[in-house]
Amino acid sequence: TRSILSRESFFNAIKIHAAVSGSTNALLHLPAIARLAGFEITMDDFDRLHREVPVLCSIQLSGRWPNQFLWLAGGVPALMKQLAHLLDLDCMTVTGRTWGQNLEDLEKQEYFRRPPQYLAPFGRRPEEIIQPLDRPILPNGGLAVLSGNLAPQGAARKFSAADPAMHQHVGPARVFDSEAAAVDALEAGRIRPGDMMVIRYEGPQATGMPEMFKATEVLANKPALKATVGLVTDGRFSGATRGPVVGHVSPEAALGGPIALVRENDLISIDVSARRLELVGAEGQPQDQEAVARLLEARRAEWRRPKIDLSGALGLFKRLAAPSALGGSALLPEGSEG
């Protein structure tokens, strides 16, 4: 398997992920698998490769077309064909042939002649579903990795699923130590346009890193809030997540990451183009970065890790879990072959 699971093949997979604006969960799965294959895939690799590859498919739930339309348009092979000059086609696959040889075989089998027939009953053409490189949906892949004083080891933002007006936003923090508390606040009407919701203690070592799906769906279904309220969390999202949300904040709150030090009415800034996630003020007032650094240092001296339930199988996972920036999966003992 190590002859197939090469660094270059992982980079190919990330480029395909970028072109379909795939789920942020790839930031967990691919680095975890790569580590077992003997090398490291970082969040910076994702960000770099997503900057190089355009979004060619608008797939639901965050996009336009039903998922099956991608298959009808030729699926991943058709997408690979569009991206051929950006991929390493010499990578070996489980067929015993390379990516390039597999595409050549499909050409000989006239595979790429079939999609127009499949889509004709729906009144669509393949190039509407998988757009050509000269007409991309977005010039860069749909994922950005942010860093800054709130996420020194990185955080993930699927900006293709959010209103562009929220790519840069500064708002007052509304802080919750669980998703359930955040949902209660949303349903009770305590969140206002412009707010920045913070949901923490939801990372790998706190709760096992569950999806913040309910919170993001409640937020997305409130017309006054869905394009005006940001959400920052050390938890994760699903591929169906919509809106101006940032996840995978690392280090997580349970490890004393800066997200654990945020307080109500602090000012939080998101800037996708600059790839920044930062605390920029306190008590509703802007502060310079030196003042913020002193504030965080003082709060860190007061911080105490809350009691975390380490019982059962999930407790075992929490004790062994890697940081989300490394994939979040259970760390193996040194020298283990997995």
Side-chain angles (χ1 to χ4, degrees), residues 250-282:
S250 189
E252 64 177 285
L255 295 178
I259 192 173
L261 310 177
V262 178
R263 295 183 181 175
E264 195 77 8
N265 217 34
D266 283 351
L267 293 181
I268 295 177
S269 170
I270 295 175
D271 189 332
V272 172
S273 60
R275 299 300 200 262
R276 304 298 291 173
L277 174 66
E278 296 185 301
L279 190 73
V280 295

Side-chain angles (χ1 to χ4, degrees), residues 183 185-189 191 216-228:
V183 170
L186 279 166
E187 292 181 338
I191 304 300
T216 55
E217 278 302 286
V218 172
L219 183 59
N221 283 285
K222 289 189 176 293
L225 303 180
K226 66 179 182 180
T228 63

Side-chain angles (χ1 to χ4, degrees), residues 31-55:
I33 299 168
R35 193 168 70 245
L36 294 179
F39 54 88
E40 191 172 288
I41 296 292
T42 68
M43 294 180 78
D44 288 341
D45 289 325
F46 274 86
D47 191 71
R48 174 177 58 81
L49 295 169
H50 271 250
R51 288 176 187 258
E52 297 175 3
V53 179
V55 175

